[in-house]
């Protein structure tokens, strides 16, 4: 009974198809509708023993030709696919909100791609046009679904298929797939962010595979990159760096800019050592075995945010060449320089290589700015005016500034050598890589410029001896600063020896300018007779010279204690033996011992005490 009922139902369906179908094609369409509506109406059952429609009996030859037409199965397939695709495309609900629908849609797309392949050999243009129109509708919906998957919250939505593996995923990584990454500064950059769960990655890979197979790989990669860009931009924004116009950055105070540079250094490390590698890994999983679309998607997702970060480096590098900026520029230069080896493998493909080139260009711009600062430092020294003297011939502020500045700069000696070598006419010696001729020459030249400036300043002192004291103070300071830092290694032992010899020459010049006339007074070639009166006169002149020198030069300054001691000893060695010999001769000049003492205002010890009170900067000892 049940079988008879089903047979009657099938006969009724056949009758409906015959009645309504003016052609076999229309009748087949009606049967397809019934087949899709109820599983009991399979095409095999509906087609078997089907009687020939009345209108086909009139023209049996035509019916035979239609039955033998190989286009008929493909037409039926395209009509079936059209109905299925239309149902999916017209749905307002996301296809990937239901795993069964997603799987069915992907299967439909696969069938359509296979049908298009069959239509290509031999080509059937009318049917092929219809199929390609269906494919275009599928691609548009797949793009929409791809964007929706990228937007949906972590942990939502079903997974369709198995996520592709690149061989590097660990169980631990899969276990952390539901984490929501927070881009905050960290100390350990050996992190990988799984920004999407493995199910979403599998869905995206399934879509990408179909779009690439359909010839829309670039469109898929670009749609992915544009959609993913929002996450990358937001992650960079969480690091405290926001894009600003160049004019706004240039108008910032240096204090504010210093703080921003410190944040930028941390942000650029976070971006290129954590965020960018994580995005590369994600793209490689989504577009597994689909080169070069993984690289296209990665570049589209990451390059805009990375370019925004790097633009800050360009703006800072284009700013004023104020020497105070050097140390922060070195920090920025080192950050980009240290990134490049990490990026060599990560950004080696055709499209992402441009991002590495951007990083390298930023490093070069910062290097040029650093070299420009050294040029500005030279100009600053040369422009420092020789207007006012330093009291007591002490250390000039320009000497202290330049030497302390270079000493601090040379703490980054390796970086500065690298920067200078980039623009050097003399290549580094491969046999002595630890020494950079360009940096050494640059520092030596700055020393020469400073020497020249100090010599000009020494000429404004009215007393020549004080000008020598001024040169000695500044020359000694330069020598000590060089010996106590990397400056000495750059300038070399020969420079230090020449500098010390120069200080000694200035010391000798001071002695000649001050004490030669004093010692000359104490020379006596005649003893006895009228010599006694001449000696007393010379003694009086000596006393006057000594007192005048003491009054003036006890207020002069020799800052370096060792130099001050050496200078006093040298003066004592010149004056005291002559004075001691003069006193002895005075006592033998017919005056007698007691008589001679009346004319001696200072003993040898008191003269020595006066000499020892020189160069104390006014702190006299009575």
């Amino acid at each position: 009974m049940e079988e008879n009922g089903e047979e009657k139902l099938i006969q009724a369906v056949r009758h409906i198809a015959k009645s309504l179908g003016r052609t076999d094609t229309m009748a087949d369409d009606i049967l397809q509708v019934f087949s899709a509506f109820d599983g009991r109406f399979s095409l095999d059952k509906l087609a078997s023993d089907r009687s020939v429609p009345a209108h086909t009996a009139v023209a049996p030859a035509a019916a035979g030709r239609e039955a033998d037409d190989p286009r008929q199965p493909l037409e039926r397939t395209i009509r079936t696919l059209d109905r299925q695709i239309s149902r999916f495309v017209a749905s307002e609900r996301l296809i990937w909100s239901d795993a069964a629908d997603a799987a069915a849609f992907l299967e439909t797309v696969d069938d359509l791609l296979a049908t298009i392949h069959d239509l290509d050999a031999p080509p059937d243009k009318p049917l092929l046009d219809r199929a390609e129109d269906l494919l275009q509708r599928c691609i548009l919906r797949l793009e929409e679904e791809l964007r929706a998957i990228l937007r949906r919250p972590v942990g939502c939505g079903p997974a369709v298929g198995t996520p592709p593996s690149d061989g590097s995923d660990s169980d631990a990584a899969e276990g952390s797939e539901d984490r929501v990454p927070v881009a905050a500064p960290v100390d350990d950059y050996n992190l990988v962010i799984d920004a999407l769960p493995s199910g979403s990655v599998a869905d995206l890979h399934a879509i990408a595979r179909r779009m690439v197979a359909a010839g829309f790989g670039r469109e898929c990669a670009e749609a992915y990159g544009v959609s993913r860009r929002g996450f990358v931009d937001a992650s960079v924004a969480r690091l405290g760096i926001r894009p600003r116009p160049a004019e706004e950055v240039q108008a910032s105070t240096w204090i504010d800019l210093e703080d921003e540079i410190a944040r930028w250094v941390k942000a650029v490390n976070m971006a290129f050592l954590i965020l960018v590698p994580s995005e590369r890994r994600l793209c490689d999983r989504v577009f597994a075995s689909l080169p070069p679309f993984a690289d296209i998607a990665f570049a589209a997702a990451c390059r805009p945010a990375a370019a925004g970060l790097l633009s800050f480096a360009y703006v800072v590098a284009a700013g004023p060449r104020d020497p105070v900026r050097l140390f922060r520029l070195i920090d920025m230069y080192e950050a980009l320089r240290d990134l490049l080896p990490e990026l060599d493998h990560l950004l080696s493909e055709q499209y992402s290589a441009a991002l590495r080139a951007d990083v390298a260009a930023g490093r070069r711009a910062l290097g040029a700015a650093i070299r420009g600062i050294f040029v500005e430092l030279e100009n600053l020294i040369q422009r420092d005016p020789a207007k006012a003297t330093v009291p007591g011939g002490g250390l000039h502020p320009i000497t202290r500034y330049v030497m302390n500045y270079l000493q601090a700069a040379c703490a980054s000696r390796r970086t500065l050598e690298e920067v200078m070598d980039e623009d050097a006419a003399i290549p580094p010696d491969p046999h002595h890589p630890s020494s950079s001729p360009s940096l050494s020459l640059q520092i030596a030249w700055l020393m020469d410029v400073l020497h020249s400036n100090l010599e000009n300043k020494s000429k404004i002192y009215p007393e020549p001896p004080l000008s020598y004291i001024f040169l000695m103070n500044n020359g000694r300071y330069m020598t000590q600063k060089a010996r106590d830092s990397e400056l000495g290694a750059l300038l070399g032992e020969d420079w230090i020896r020449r500098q010390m010899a120069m200080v000694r020459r200035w010391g000798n010049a001071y002695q000649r300018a001050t004490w030669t006339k004093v010692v000359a007074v104490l020379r006596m070639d005649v003893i006895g007779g009228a010599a006694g009166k001449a000696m007393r006169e010379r003694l009086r002149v000596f006393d006057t010279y000594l007192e005048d020198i003491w009054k003036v030069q006890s207020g002069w300054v020799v800052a370096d204690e060792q130099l001050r001691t050496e200078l006093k000893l040298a003066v004592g060695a010149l004056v005291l033996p002559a004075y001691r010999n003069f006193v002895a001769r005075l006592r033998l000049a017919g005056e007698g011992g007691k008589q001679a003492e009346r004319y001696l205002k200072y003993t040898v010890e008191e003269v020595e005490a006066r000499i020892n009170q020189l160069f104390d900067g006014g702190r006299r000892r009575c």
Side-chain angles (χ1 to χ4, degrees), residues 375-394:
V375 173
E376 181 57 29
L377 178 62
E378 175 189 337
N379 295 334
L380 183 150
I381 298 170
Q382 291 176 336
R383 291 194 303 261
D384 193 62
K387 292 181 178 179
T389 60
V390 178

Side-chain angles (χ1 to χ4, degrees), residues 437-455:
S438 53
L439 180 60
S440 298
L441 291 173
Q442 179 71 55
I443 298 298
W445 171 246
L446 289 174
M447 294 296 98
D448 289 344
V449 172
L450 180 58
H451 267 304
S452 178
N453 181 272
L454 292 171
E455 287 176 355

